[in-house]
Amino acid sequence: MTVRIRSRRRVRPAPLLLELLLVAVGLVMIAPLVWLVVQSLTAEEAAFELPPTWIPKPFTTDNFAAVPDAIPFGRMALNSLQVAVIATVGSLLVSVLAAYAFSRLTFRGRDGIFLVLLSALMIPAQMTVIPVFVLMRNLGLIDSLPALWLPALINVFSIFFFRQYFNTIPRELDEAARIDGAGHLWILFRIIVPLSGPALAAMAILTFQAVWNNYLGPLIFLSTPENMTLPVGLVTLQASHGGSPVVVFAAITAVVVPVLALFLVFQRSFVASIAQAGLRG
Amino acid sequence: MTLTKVRPERAAAPRPAGRGGGRFRRGEWVGYAFLSPALLLFLAFVAGPFAVAIVLAFFSWDMLTPAEFNGVGNFTEMFSDPLLYEALANTFVFALASVLTHLGGGLLLAMGVNRMMRRALSYFVRTTLFFPFVISWAAVALLWKYVLDPTFGLVTHYAGEIGVEPPEWFTDPAWALPAIIAIDFWHTIGFTFVIMLAGLQTVPRELHEAARVDGARPHQVFWRVTLPMMSPTIFFAAVVTFIGAFQIFDPVQIITPDGGPENSTITIVMYLYQKGFQSFQIGYAAAVSILVFVIMMAVTLLQFWGSRKWVHQQ
């Protein structure tokens, strides 16, 4: 048997009592989510009983079947997916090109432009939302999905994030390719991007999650239910369907569980990217 | 902060001989080409709207009739509206409570989890703490409306079990905002926790050991070693949490669409939303947005200025 030395441990191990306390905190944290899923699977007449039931009895999936009757759920899910995918792919592309310019190319005003972009991180979204609304109205894009993904294509934080990452990739690699006659696009997409997997994954997850969960945007830019995305769809369902909370719970579950599953799969890069953002500060 | 540091090398400095001038000029063209999508989008959706918002703030406009120059009218009207002050007060209370509970709770949880030895248990706690942060505010707000429901809510029931009668959260003006503070804690604590955990793992273990060898008691190690070494992380968390909290909108609008009992939950962004998108006072709302910007700028600068006094420089 080999002795494993835990070099990462900083302090004495936790006593059992502390571990139990932390596990209890964890249980309290997920209790509302478990309750949500259980109620959504319980027949309406038995749901929301006191004391709370933690096993769906009688078990039913009727609540989920009732959701599409109340709101165009499938349509909204497709809208959400479309906006999130376009915004994620598009903003990664735009950011990677800009970050390459800031990291590898020399041109007049480069550092000045970079500083201007960075200072824009201080502008709150609420300040630009009104003029952007006016712009969308003039472009005839109100109540359409481009009104949601177009503004999401510019993500200053991700430009900054990629630039920092690209700066850690040895310049010798792309300079060698340049001597061999490779163009900048080739260097970016054949050398730099393949070496930036973790950074790309992290930004992709963060962007997708932010766009998928966006509430204020659809609330302002969209109006017809068929064009709506899921977050506002949930709220309208709750408002119009107040009599039957189990159907609301089924809809919330249908929105929340896939996101949680996705998070479990990508947990490492997601948490790491947030921790990294914190350490960079 | 690395944020403001632009690497000086390779800046506009002339390239060493051997690279022809023609090649350099071609490089310049490529640079702007790579930047152009980002710059166009930036002008259209960030810089342009920012400038337009400043101009709009001096007009009165309902989007139907032509805009009329109004001078500082929006600002004088805004500052004489008692609702604005209620919204500002609520926002500051929320942001302050949010920063304090997040920093305290996040640090304690991170220190606890950092000491956990059983991997499976530690994984469980880390995952469950972070779970709510992944969920959209819309889902969280709706769920908690039911969790805190006075007749069939979870909290109501379990509080009753231990002999506490909880208030009617969203109809009691004294409790509506605290309820939203609690929901925000549940939703966002995982974020602060992860940052704190990452920060803790950068504290050199030799420091702890040295302090203990010197006979320091646990609370002394905490105040003299852990906290100073954690100060850059705590500072970052404070800035980010404050900025996020100051812009709180989703849960407030979803749970209390009319601003809560006696305006007890109306926040500054909700005030802006009501003026801009419900009563279509576009210029007025733009003026409010400038106020939000100025306050955020001022508080952030203040935090940076204050941080020089207590953030440990590495």
Side-chain angles (χ1 to χ4, degrees):
Chain A
M1 207 182 111
T2 53
V3 178
R4 209 169 53 196
I5 299 166
R6 290 168 175 267
S7 58
R8 300 291 296 165
R9 286 295 146 199
R10 254 83 213 174
V11 278
R12 294 152 298 144
L16 187 65
L17 190 69
L18 179 61
E19 292 210 317
L20 287 179
L21 187 73
L22 286 165
V23 170
V25 171
L27 286 173
V28 171
M29 288 297 282
I30 50 163
L33 294 173
V34 176
W35 188 62
L36 164 77
V37 176
V38 169
Q39 304 309 311
S40 71
L41 290 168
T42 307
E44 186 168 357
E45 61 277 7
F48 298 110
E49 272 183 353
L50 290 178
T53 42
W54 295 95
I55 294 157
K57 208 172 78 176
F59 178 90
T60 176
T61 52
D62 288 355
N63 303 325
F64 288 90
V67 172
D69 299 333
I71 50 166
F73 189 89
R75 190 69 245 157
M76 288 172 173
L78 280 178
N79 292 341
S80 278
L81 196 67
Q82 185 183 337
V83 171
V85 168
I86 296 178
T88 304
V89 174
S91 82
L92 286 190
L93 193 66
V94 170
S95 303
V96 158
L97 286 171
Y100 181 83
F102 285 128
S103 170
R104 291 297 200 268
L105 300 170
T106 319
F107 50 93
R108 237 164 296 152
R110 185 187 68 179
D111 294 348
I113 296 173
F114 188 64
L115 270 183
V116 169
L117 287 186
L118 277 191
S119 55
L121 283 173
M122 293 292 296
I123 301 174
Q126 293 87 31
M127 191 161 174
T128 51
V129 74
I130 290 166
V132 170
F133 179 84
V134 176
L135 176 68
M136 290 300 173
R137 209 183 58 139
N138 290 341
L139 293 173
L141 290 175
I142 291 300
D143 202 22
S144 79
L145 296 181
L148 293 184
W149 58 255
L150 262 177
L153 291 182
I154 177 73
N155 182 344
V156 174
F157 178 73
S158 95
I159 295 176
F160 171 71
F161 187 80
F162 287 136
R163 173 190 176 270
Q164 300 292 90
Y165 199 89
F166 290 177
N167 278 346
T168 66
I169 297 174
R171 255 154 250 283
E172 289 74 30
L173 286 178
D174 41 292
E175 267 160 19
R178 225 154 91 206
I179 289 165
D180 290 346
H184 287 292
L185 278 175
W186 195 93
I187 293 170
L188 173 58
F189 288 104
R190 291 296 168 86
I191 297 178
I192 308 263
V193 164
L195 287 174
S196 308
L200 286 165
M203 259 347 277
I205 296 165
L206 281 177
T207 310
F208 190 93
Q209 192 243 9
V211 178
W212 179 268
N213 290 340
N214 182 12
Y215 176 74
L216 183 64
L219 188 67
I220 290 172
F221 294 123
L222 307 180
S223 48
T224 47
E226 282 69 29
N227 293 334
M228 205 53 89
T229 54
L230 285 173
V232 182
L234 285 183
V235 177
T236 49
L237 171 68
Q238 193 262 342
S240 66
H241 219 262
S244 181
V246 273
V247 179
V248 179
F249 266 40
I252 302 176
T253 304
V255 172
V256 161
V257 170
V259 181
L260 290 183
L262 210 64
F263 165 68
L264 278 181
V265 174
F266 291 108
Q267 186 179 29
R268 277 190 164 276
S269 14
F270 192 71
V271 171
S273 65
I274 285 178
Q276 207 172 14
L279 292 180
R280 284 254 164 81
Chain B
M1 292 287 289
T2 41
L3 264 179
T4 48
K5 210 190 286 168
V6 174
R7 297 180 136 210
E9 84 266 28
R10 307 185 318 280
R15 287 293 185 136
R19 297 194 178 223
R23 187 166 187 171
F24 183 78
R25 206 171 295 142
R26 195 170 73 219
E28 289 223 313
W29 180 83
V30 173
Y32 294 123
F34 272 63
L35 223 49
S36 56
L39 281 185
L40 282 176
L41 289 161
F42 181 77
L43 286 177
F45 296 114
V46 184
F50 177 76
V52 171
I54 293 173
V55 174
L56 273 178
F58 297 95
F59 283 81
S60 63
W61 189 33
D62 60 2
M63 287 203 285
L64 299 171
T65 50
E68 256 178 65
F69 186 70
N70 192 17
V72 291
N74 289 326
F75 291 94
T76 50
E77 193 188 333
M78 180 170 89
F79 285 120
S80 56
D81 182 1
L83 190 57
L84 175 89
Y85 295 98
E86 285 187 70
L88 278 177
N90 290 338
T91 311
F92 272 109
V93 168
F94 177 83
L96 215 62
S98 177
V99 169
L100 292 178
T101 53
H102 276 85
L103 297 192
L107 187 57
L108 281 179
L109 287 166
M111 285 172 60
V113 170
N114 201 32
R115 289 175 61 182
M116 288 178 88
M117 289 293 276
R118 275 159 271 254
R119 280 185 172 245
L121 292 187
S122 149
Y123 177 82
F124 172 78
V125 178
R126 277 181 283 133
T127 310
T128 49
L129 281 176
F130 205 78
F131 246 15
F133 184 68
V134 188
I135 306 169
S136 71
W137 257 124
V140 168
L142 291 180
L143 171 61
W144 273 82
K145 224 178 149 172
Y146 291 103
V147 171
L148 292 179
D149 187 277
T151 49
F152 58 75
L154 272 187
V155 168
T156 319
H157 173 74
Y158 287 112
E161 291 276 281
I162 55 169
V164 180
E165 199 187 327
E168 298 219 352
W169 302 96
F170 299 117
T171 45
D172 187 340
W175 286 101
L177 195 60
I180 290 176
I181 291 169
I183 300 171
D184 171 70
F185 184 82
W186 182 81
H187 176 255
T188 325
I189 187 61
F191 176 78
T192 325
F193 162 77
V194 163
I195 288 176
M196 294 287 191
L197 195 61
L200 270 183
Q201 300 193 331
T202 64
V203 178
R205 68 178 290 168
E206 297 78 33
L207 279 179
H208 276 125
E209 279 164 5
R212 274 206 305 282
V213 168
D214 289 348
R217 304 183 62 82
H219 69 92
Q220 287 173 319
V221 176
F222 174 76
W223 290 108
R224 303 274 172 81
V225 180
T226 312
L227 214 54
M229 292 302 290
M230 282 290 288
S231 54
T233 308
I234 296 173
F235 171 66
F236 174 81
V239 174
V240 172
T241 310
F242 185 88
I243 291 177
F246 200 79
Q247 303 180 51
I248 194 78
F249 172 77
D250 299 6
V252 187
Q253 203 273 340
I254 295 165
I255 298 176
T256 53
D258 48 358
E262 296 171 25
N263 296 322
S264 56
T265 61
I266 188 162
T267 64
I268 189 69
V269 173
M270 199 161 155
Y271 181 78
L272 184 155
Y273 172 78
Q274 287 180 351
K275 296 294 175 188
F277 295 97
Q278 289 182 333
S279 49
F280 294 103
Q281 297 171 266
I282 297 296
Y284 189 91
V288 178
S289 77
I290 289 178
L291 181 68
V292 175
F293 176 63
V294 169
I295 292 175
M296 270 182 49
M297 205 67 165
V299 173
T300 310
L301 287 177
L302 205 69
Q303 281 177 314
F304 271 96
W305 175 78
S307 75
R308 290 196 191 162
K309 297 201 186 312
W310 61 272
V311 170
H312 176 82
Q313 304 291 333
Q314 268 157 332

